[in-house]
């Protein structure tokens, strides 16, 4: 079986079991023999991805979390959305599965195990966004945008590459290609997030405020400190409402109608 576009997949991994249970088990990767490159224990996702983009050769590069499961039929759906997006806006550079519009409204269609719910829902045509969640990013290689090797840690590189695209006269979108984000509950914003956040504020100060999926980029550090405390408070007092990874992401995808039935 063949796709009419070429893809490469990249993932920074710190837990081999999580990777094997989720991303590695995604059936289309084997069905279509899509190259999957894994990078263990890196200090910065953005730096790792910037390095590998230099030697990439596929039309479309997918950068994805280790805990994401891509349901059967996912790449067929992705190709249709890519074709539709390219017809709508040939300038597009970056796409993702979940993001936030310029007015702060969120958009996507993803099951998040940490939250125990579907985030968003079906939405049809691609939606222009100001920021993308890093759970999965699709880069059109011909757009000539890349990640910043100086951005520390593992946060906000989705926002950074979207801002880079817009600064070059290109664009970013969310596409409706559902997946399972088999994540742990997010209980706090740690110092690693703060480090990436401060880097982004300094780098893009002339564009602020700028929306992100978690908290807008702003010059006022007190607002982010309050946000960190608020998330920690919710984690303590609402722990019983939080979910966690499912043992079989394929079964969850079938339950949600995300997975194309396997031919008999």
């Amino acid at each position: 079986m063949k796709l009419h576009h070429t893809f490469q997949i990249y993932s920074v991994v710190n837990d081999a079991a999580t990777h094997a249970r989720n991303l590695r088990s995604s059936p289309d990767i084997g069905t279509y023999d899509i190259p999957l490159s894994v990078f263990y224990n890196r200090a910065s996702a953005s730096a790792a991805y910037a390095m590998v983009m230099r030697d990439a050769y596929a039309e479309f590069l997918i950068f994805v979390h280790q805990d994401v499961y891509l349901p059967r039929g996912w790449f067929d759906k992705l190709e249709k959305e890519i074709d539709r997006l390219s017809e709508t806006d040939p300038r597009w550079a970056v796409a993702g599965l979940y993001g936030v519009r310029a007015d702060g409204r969120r958009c996507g269609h993803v099951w998040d195990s940490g939250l125990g719910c579907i985030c968003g829902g079906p939405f049809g045509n691609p939606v222009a966004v100001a920021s993308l969640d890093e759970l999965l990013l699709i880069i059109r290689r011909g757009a000539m945008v890349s990640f910043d090797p100086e951005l520390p840690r593992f946060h906000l590189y989705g926002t950074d590459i979207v801002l880079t695209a817009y600064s070059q006269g290109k664009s970013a979108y969310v596409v409706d290609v559902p997946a399972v984000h088999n994540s742990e509950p997010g209980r706090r914003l740690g110092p690693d997030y703060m480090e990436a956040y401060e880097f982004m504020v300094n780098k893009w100060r002339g564009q602020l405020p700028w929306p992100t999926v978690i908290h807008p980029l702003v010059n006022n550090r007190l607002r982010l400190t309050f946000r960190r405390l608020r998330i920690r408070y919710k984690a303590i007092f609402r722990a019983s409402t939080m979910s966690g990874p499912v043992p079989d992401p394929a079964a969850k995808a079938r339950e949600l109608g995300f997975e194309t039935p396997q031919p008999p």
Side-chain angles (χ1 to χ4, degrees):
M1 299 179 67
K2 288 187 177 181
L3 299 165
H4 65 269
H5 292 301
T6 56
F7 299 92
Q8 288 174 273
I9 305 172
Y10 302 94
S11 185
V12 170
V13 170
N14 64 4
D15 187 317
T18 296
H19 168 70
R21 185 169 57 249
N22 295 285
L23 180 61
R24 180 68 267 183
S25 71
S26 302
D28 283 3
I29 295 176
T31 298
Y32 292 115
D33 197 23
I34 299 171
L36 168 60
S37 300
V38 174
F39 309 97
Y40 285 94
N41 302 316
R42 299 301 176 98
S44 160
S46 189
Y49 292 155
M51 179 181 67
V52 300
M53 283 194 72
R54 299 171 192 162
D55 298 319
Y57 57 84
E59 294 174 83
F60 302 102
L61 312 177
I62 298 173
F63 301 88
V64 56
H65 283 184
Q66 63 184 0
D67 57 1
V68 170
Y69 173 78
L70 306 177
R72 187 181 308 279
W74 191 86
F75 276 91
D76 295 307
K77 295 175 184 176
L78 178 62
E79 286 204 312
K80 292 176 183 175
E81 291 304 310
I82 283 175
D83 290 344
R84 176 161 31 181
L85 178 53
S86 296
E87 290 176 8
T88 303
D89 183 1
R91 300 175 307 115
W92 79 274
V94 190
L97 304 189
Y98 194 79
V100 58
R101 299 173 174 96
D103 62 6
R105 289 181 297 155
R106 288 166 172 76
C107 180
H109 190 190
V110 176
W111 167 266
D112 190 291
S113 294
L115 297 175
C117 67
I118 294 176
C119 296
F123 56 91
N125 292 329
V127 175
V129 291
S131 177
L132 288 166
D133 192 299
E134 292 84 10
L135 74 99
L136 188 145
L137 300 170
I138 305 148
I139 311 298
R140 182 171 64 85
R141 190 171 60 87
M144 303 297 289
V145 300
S146 188
F147 297 95
D148 186 343
E150 300 300 319
L151 174 56
R153 305 295 187 157
F154 302 93
H155 304 281
L156 295 168
Y157 56 92
T159 302
D160 184 63
I161 200 164
V162 169
L163 276 161
T164 297
Y166 282 123
S167 73
Q168 296 178 8
K170 293 154 190 168
S171 53
Y173 288 83
V174 164
V175 291
D176 188 356
V177 191
V180 173
H181 188 201
N182 202 13
S183 62
E184 297 280 355
R187 300 185 183 276
R188 69 187 184 95
L189 299 178
D192 56 336
Y193 184 89
M194 294 293 292
E195 187 177 350
Y197 187 94
E198 290 180 356
F199 177 93
M200 289 288 289
V201 166
N202 290 328
K203 177 177 178 178
W204 296 105
R205 195 173 299 277
Q207 301 292 331
L208 305 186
W210 192 268
T212 80
V213 172
I214 294 178
H215 182 80
L217 295 175
V218 294
N219 284 307
N220 186 349
R221 184 186 173 93
L222 287 176
R223 286 184 60 187
L224 180 59
T225 301
F226 175 76
R227 175 69 170 164
R228 291 178 71 199
L229 290 172
R230 189 162 174 250
I231 289 176
R232 190 172 300 155
Y233 175 88
K234 285 184 176 180
I236 293 170
F237 291 99
R238 296 178 58 195
S240 62
T241 68
M242 289 185 169
S243 186
V246 295
D248 186 350
K252 190 67 185 180
R254 291 192 295 272
E255 174 193 327
L256 296 168
F258 287 0
E259 188 149 284
T260 302
Q262 188 171 8

